[in-house]
Amino acid sequence: MNEKRIAWAITGAGHTLVECSERLLKYKKVDVFLSKAAEEVTRMYNLQDRIQVEGVRVYRERQASSPLVVRLFGGNYNVLVVAPATSNSVAKFVCG
């Protein structure tokens, strides 16, 4: 049986992004999901190299239809972490 991983979704929020990366990337079994806004924010905070480490898989949003989300339904993850999150993202979660 494969060991389950942590799914970490990064949104366009930058506040506490460095602190979140320090906490989450220490586990080394993390899949990082980057929206287009998240790619901008990770560049602004110089985190591209930090998330490109051994044991961490990075998935980038390339299409508007969100095919990456399908990966979350396969039972591969113990937890989904969305941090930091913008109020816009939280509102979207609430509204489904």
Side-chain angles (χ1 to χ4, degrees):
M1 178 191 282
N2 289 339
E3 198 171 330
K4 293 193 178 191
R5 301 174 62 85
I6 295 171
W8 178 24
I10 302 176
T11 67
H15 183 69
T16 72
L17 181 57
V18 172
E19 293 85 349
C20 290
S21 70
E22 289 170 355
R23 288 187 175 91
L24 287 165
L25 295 177
K26 70 180 179 181
Y27 293 103
K28 300 290 185 193
K29 291 195 180 278
V30 178
D31 288 357
V32 178
F33 293 84
L34 296 173
S35 68
K36 290 181 181 184
E39 288 201 63
E40 291 178 25
V41 172
T42 56
R43 277 193 303 273
M44 288 172 23
Y45 286 85
N46 295 315
L47 293 175
Q48 308 95 317
D49 292 339
R50 186 177 290 185
I51 62 174
Q52 296 285 344
V53 296
E54 184 178 342
V56 175
R57 297 185 296 215
V58 179
Y59 299 98
R60 290 175 168 78
E61 177 184 69
R62 297 288 182 226
Q63 298 174 342
S65 60
S66 300
L68 289 178
V69 175
V70 174
R71 297 189 56 79
L72 301 176
F73 301 109
N76 298 316
Y77 302 103
N78 285 323
V79 65
L80 166 63
V81 177
V82 181
T86 61
S87 58
N88 183 46
S89 292
V90 173
K92 289 177 182 178
F93 301 153
V94 171
C95 291

